[in-house]
Amino acid sequence: MTAKYRIDNESAQTINVNSMKETLELPGSTANIKATTALAPKVKDELKPGESVEKMVVILLSTETFESYKDFELGFGPLNNLEGKDVFNDEWIGFNVWKDL
């Protein structure tokens, strides 16, 4: 599974975009699948205020796992500034992904 997304830094601080983790949450389970960072295109670490960048997330999962669920949640977080502090205040951002609409 791949997804392309954009980060717009509208804060007053420089952020480390590569500090953010991406996971695929499995519904009704505490399990999640982490993104395979080696397969995604590399982007620069630092994103200054007013800048934006497009990233891609690649998540590998078995066909059996994919077919076992009708939807997933794609989660993003934490996102750190240059001092290593989470700019989301320990919150993650999540998006629902449906296979069938």
Side-chain angles (χ1 to χ4, degrees):
M1 178 180 286
T2 60
K4 183 176 172 182
Y5 63 96
R6 179 182 167 125
I7 300 173
D8 295 316
N9 186 359
E10 296 178 358
S11 73
Q13 55 190 320
T14 301
I15 56 175
N16 181 343
V17 295
N18 293 313
S19 68
M20 188 163 55
K21 308 293 183 239
E22 302 98 352
T23 63
L24 191 66
E25 308 291 326
L26 304 177
S29 172
T30 58
N32 63 50
I33 301 169
K34 295 181 180 174
T36 307
T37 56
L39 297 176
K42 304 289 183 223
V43 298
K44 65 180 184 172
D45 283 335
E46 294 182 12
L47 192 62
K48 295 181 176 157
E51 292 183 335
S52 63
V53 67
E54 285 190 349
K55 287 192 72 175
M56 181 175 285
V57 58
V58 178
I59 298 175
L60 300 176
L61 64 156
S62 69
T63 301
E64 181 180 305
T65 301
F66 183 77
E67 291 176 351
S68 296
Y69 297 93
K70 67 176 187 166
D71 64 308
F72 304 93
E73 182 175 326
L74 186 57
F76 298 89
L79 180 62
N80 297 332
N81 62 19
L82 295 183
E83 288 79 42
K85 296 188 188 219
D86 182 3
V87 297
F88 291 156
N89 297 318
D90 296 324
E91 296 290 327
W92 280 56
I93 297 172
F95 297 92
N96 289 321
V97 179
W98 294 277
K99 291 191 321 190
D100 297 315
L101 294 177

